[in-house]
Amino acid sequence: DGGITQSPKYLFRKEGQNVTLSCEQNLNHDAMYWYRQDPGQGLRLIYYSQIVNDFQKGDIAEGYSVSREKKESFPLTVTSAQKNPTAFYLCASSNQAGIYEQYFGPGTRLTVT
Amino acid sequence: SQQGEEDPQALSIQEGENATMNCSYKTSINNLQWYRQNSGRGLVHLILIRSNEREKHSGRLRVTLDTSKKSSSLLITASRAADTASYFCATDASSTLGRLYFGRGTQLTVWP
């Protein structure tokens, strides 16, 4: 089965802790993306990567970090510097950045208390 | 911001009726896409229309694009209860390659 997976589906953390969200794809896509979605809101881009070992900041990168060491994987770390980390996080991939449709994972709901 | 804006924010109709959602954007684009999101799930791509296209069909979906007005519409014909979801438009921007800009979405409810 080809697709994009995110784990875990639900994640709970204490304030002040860093947490890493996993995103893996086996679609052989070059580009990968991380979005944040708050209730009733659209998607806001956190980081994106068009190729291995390269990534760019999106609109709300502060308090987040990423790596792209493998084509299949694009983990997102939510650091303690992120002021309001509780949100629904969506990972996506596409064949070529910005030109083709994006394929989304099922999302991770992060709750920080 | 290039971000698209959908209108209306919420739409409630009966099964069998048509649903029309609109999207407006601000800068030149190469293409515009529509996505669907069921509650608590990831987005699913519905249709992509290029800037040189005016209309595109896919099953019960019809998308139009008017680049002079910087607007698009998504029409779902003969709606079903299973069409209940949020619908988002997404645009690229000719000046910013590599990413999409999503609107806030239209929440469609189809009553049986």
Side-chain angles (χ1 to χ4, degrees):
Chain A
D1 259 352
I4 182 164
T5 58
Q6 292 183 243
S7 61
K9 189 167 178 63
Y10 298 96
L11 192 53
F12 298 88
R13 280 292 183 271
K14 294 286 188 187
E15 203 172 307
Q17 294 178 336
N18 290 357
V19 60
T20 297
L21 281 58
S22 166
C23 178
E24 303 277 332
Q25 54 98 359
N26 61 3
L27 300 167
N28 199 34
H29 284 169
D30 290 314
M32 296 187 74
Y33 311 80
W34 273 106
Y35 295 93
R36 170 182 171 137
Q37 187 177 32
D38 293 284
Q41 300 297 312
L43 276 65
R44 291 187 290 169
L45 183 65
I46 304 172
Y47 270 98
Y48 64 109
S49 167
Q50 300 187 55
I51 199 167
V52 174
N53 292 322
D54 187 44
F55 49 82
Q56 290 80 40
K57 292 182 179 180
D59 301 318
I60 55 165
E62 186 175 347
Y64 300 97
S65 66
V66 293
S67 63
R68 186 86 187 276
E69 297 175 1
K70 297 187 299 181
K71 189 174 186 178
E72 305 79 28
S73 179
F74 191 40
L76 172 74
T77 297
V78 184
T79 75
S80 56
Q82 167 51 234
K83 293 187 181 359
N84 297 298
T86 294
F88 189 49
Y89 290 88
L90 286 160
C91 180
S93 69
S94 71
N95 216 353
Q96 190 170 350
I99 298 177
Y100 298 110
E101 61 265 33
Q102 294 186 7
Y103 292 76
F104 282 80
T108 291
R109 189 167 300 280
L110 173 65
T111 302
V112 177
T113 57
Chain B
S1 166
Q2 166 64 11
Q3 186 179 31
E5 291 294 334
E6 291 89 346
D7 172 63
Q9 289 187 11
L11 181 60
S12 187
I13 59 174
Q14 294 290 132
E15 262 192 333
E17 295 180 339
N18 294 344
T20 300
M21 289 158 267
N22 303 296
C23 170
S24 59
Y25 57 92
K26 294 181 180 174
T27 66
S28 297
I29 63 171
N30 296 309
N31 64 69
L32 183 144
Q33 303 180 37
W34 285 91
Y35 288 81
R36 164 196 170 124
Q37 182 183 34
N38 287 78
S39 182
R41 310 288 289 272
L43 278 70
V44 174
H45 179 263
L46 294 176
I47 199 164
L48 181 153
I49 186 166
R50 302 190 193 285
S51 59
N52 61 354
E53 298 176 309
R54 291 296 167 258
E55 188 170 313
K56 205 161 182 180
H57 296 254
S58 176
R60 293 184 296 112
L61 305 180
R62 173 179 167 249
V63 168
T64 62
L65 179 64
D66 186 335
T67 53
S68 66
K69 295 181 179 178
K70 293 186 170 58
S71 68
S72 173
S73 68
L74 170 67
L75 168 67
I76 304 175
T77 60
S79 296
R80 307 165 182 168
D83 294 327
T84 294
S86 292
Y87 292 82
F88 295 89
C89 70
T91 57
D92 64 0
S94 302
S95 59
T96 313
L97 295 178
R99 60 163 294 175
L100 294 178
Y101 296 83
F102 285 84
R104 296 189 178 202
T106 292
Q107 172 60 51
L108 172 65
T109 302
V110 182
W111 298 99

